Amino acid sequence: MWLYSLIWGSALLSLVDATEVVVVTVATERTEGLKRFLRSAERHGIDVQVYGLDEDWKGGDTRIEQGGGQKIRILRRELEKYADKKDTIILFTDAYDVIWANGLDAVIDRFIDHYSNLRVLFGAEPFCWPKKELAIEYPLVEFGKRFLNSGLFMGYAPEIYRMLSLKEVEDKDDDQLYFTMIYLDEQLRKELKMGLDSISRIFQNLNGVQEDVKLEFDGEGSASVLNTPYNTHPILIHGNGDSKMYLNYLSNYVGEWNVENGCVRCEERRKMEIEDEAAEESSGLPTLSLAVFVSSTPFLEEVLKALSAQDYPKSKIHLFIYNSQPFHLETVSKWAESQKGEFISRTIINVDMETGEREARQMTLESMVTRGSEYLFIINGDIYLQREEALRELVKKSLFYDTSILSPILNQPGKLFSNFWGAIAENGFYARSEDYIDIVNGNRIGLWNVPFVSSPLLIKGELVKEIAPTRPFHYSKDLDPDMSFALYARHKGHFLHVTNEDTDGFLVVSEEFVDDLQKGRLHTEMWQIFANRWLWEQRYLHEDYVKILNGPVEEVPMPCTDVYDYALLSPRFCAELIEEMEHFGEWSDGSNSDRRLAGGYENVPTRDIHMNQVGFEREWLFFIDEYVRPMQEKIFVGYFKKPIESHMMFVVRYKPEEQSSLRPHHDASTFSIDIALNQRGVDFEGGGVRYVRYNCTVPADEVGHTMMFPGRLTHLHEGLPTTKGTRYILVSFINP
Ligand SMILES: *[C@@H]1O[C@H](CO)[C@@H](O)[C@H](O)[C@H]1NC(C)=O
């Protein structure tokens, strides 16, 4: 209880001297909304009496139907003790969808300043609810909203108690209708001195006026709420009706986020962690059900590898994999095999078991309950968790923030596309919130209550237990399972929190991959250099390349005059390119006539396949421009041409029984690259390139290394005979 001693103008002193204010609410469940409400009260030093906790709620689902009479009955019971206290002010607020934007001092100041003629004050709203036809009976207001909302009210204890006890009310009756009928009775209205806070000096009901109510930052960077038409800064903000999402948005800032200092709770958590280093002990981490959902996404190998590299004890994890793609079968089973025995348990569901994704997601909930894990972590196959501490830190955040559902914000590298939505349009799909770009770009860092997040989801075990029987992924069969889950959470008042305090990883881009899969290639990821460049580099760029590029030019080997030789592509790229070429199979016949060329004539023919024949021209040009050109500029100083051009890019096949060598020739290029794709002594014997003018031979047998040399005039060269097996090289004539 809070004692309000007013130091005030003497004229008013008698009115409010030592006025006692009792803040009350009714809540039968300890929902996240209630916790948020109490936290926001605490931030303003307000003590709240919570009535009805853990009683059975019989007042109906007030989200979708009328109800709430039970609220009145509980209040009547609890407030009886104040019935005679004429100097006591009772302030009632709903519990699950209300936050404080200011403290009690401000409430009392304004109540006394503006409503000294009243004994009971209700919040107002633009809708006459629940009985529209009562609208005409409402007294007119000069300015502001005309209709009563029962989620927020205050007044002197005797009048409040009398109002609560005037009529019989059933648990299932509508509480707003109860108060409305009293207010509309002119006699009672006058006796009780009832009025409405029509211009939101104290009470802001958000439904229907979201456009009018804005977030505002003061000179110190603190967030407050501004009602723009009335130019008021309301104190209690109520997300009634359809405005819950908007309240969630406001509640991310009001009392929780500051322009200067950022996220208040994040700071509290960091301080706590510094003090409590014992929390670092991994033995203290909760048990986890880890559910991986694999669909058509590239670089699954890397994704799974990053997952097993997570710094979370596998002895605390039950693993569950659902794979909907036959072509991922091998990757998934290989990975699962490599992890054998490390997890507490493993369940793998492949497509052939004909379990729909929605059903499989439901199964993860149920099996988590059976296994009794403390947390469920659901992650899709397009989530690359780069930071090894990601999962462990997320669990610790969830424990500290006491979230039911928490996700790290992840986006496609360099793009605004992410795994959450800041707002939802009326059609139920994506809408961009005011703060979306700032959050995705990391200009605003914190913990955000949002209307949708797809994956990953860290869900508290207690919540899973509660919701599993009601099948949240089946909640709306018209929506994708993740959207269905989010809709369910919104309707049931479970908050979806996301955090961008750390950069935990990114989203793998899958859109192009799905199309590329139709093209019958063996190694679709090779074509992913645009969509998923970082992952492409991890897989296909030679591991020594960056070191050579950034090192001194003297360290680039030069086996013959002006012939440089350096690591460019990974052995895996080379092997997969050979497989793609053989899979395509249309090698040229080695004659002078070549329909693929503009003139139809090839002076120095080889057995080859051009990059454009396998649809790899655009990708390969980009590769040369991004990875070869910088080496050229470093070595052959002063020559600059961007982007590079190349019309001759091809893989050559040498074998004794077909074409084993190539006579001396000049390339039609400013410079050329010639990349060894396979291994002498393993795949072939012989080979190598001899530069005639210098009588110098390069063995050219390090897989993935390229020779780079001037094309015309100086570097007449010949391909030496391959004597056994098959030798493959990748050649490009650059800047013809
Ligand atoms: C070319 O080099 C080879 C091997 O190093 C040597 O045997 C040969 O005599 C050289 N030829 C000329 C014309 O210098």
Side-chain angles (χ1 to χ4, degrees), residues 241-255:
D242 289 336
S243 67
K244 305 238 177 320
M245 257 191 275
Y246 195 61
L247 178 74
N248 291 348
Y249 162 77
L250 295 174
S251 74
N252 288 333
Y253 292 95
V254 176

Side-chain angles (χ1 to χ4, degrees), residues 373-392:
S373 316
E374 290 157 89
Y375 272 100
L376 170 62
F377 187 61
I378 303 183
I379 183 167
N380 291 353
D382 64 344
I383 305 290
Y384 186 81
L385 283 186
Q386 194 165 10
R387 209 167 72 105
E388 288 181 6
E389 304 79 22
L391 180 54
R392 159 200 283 263

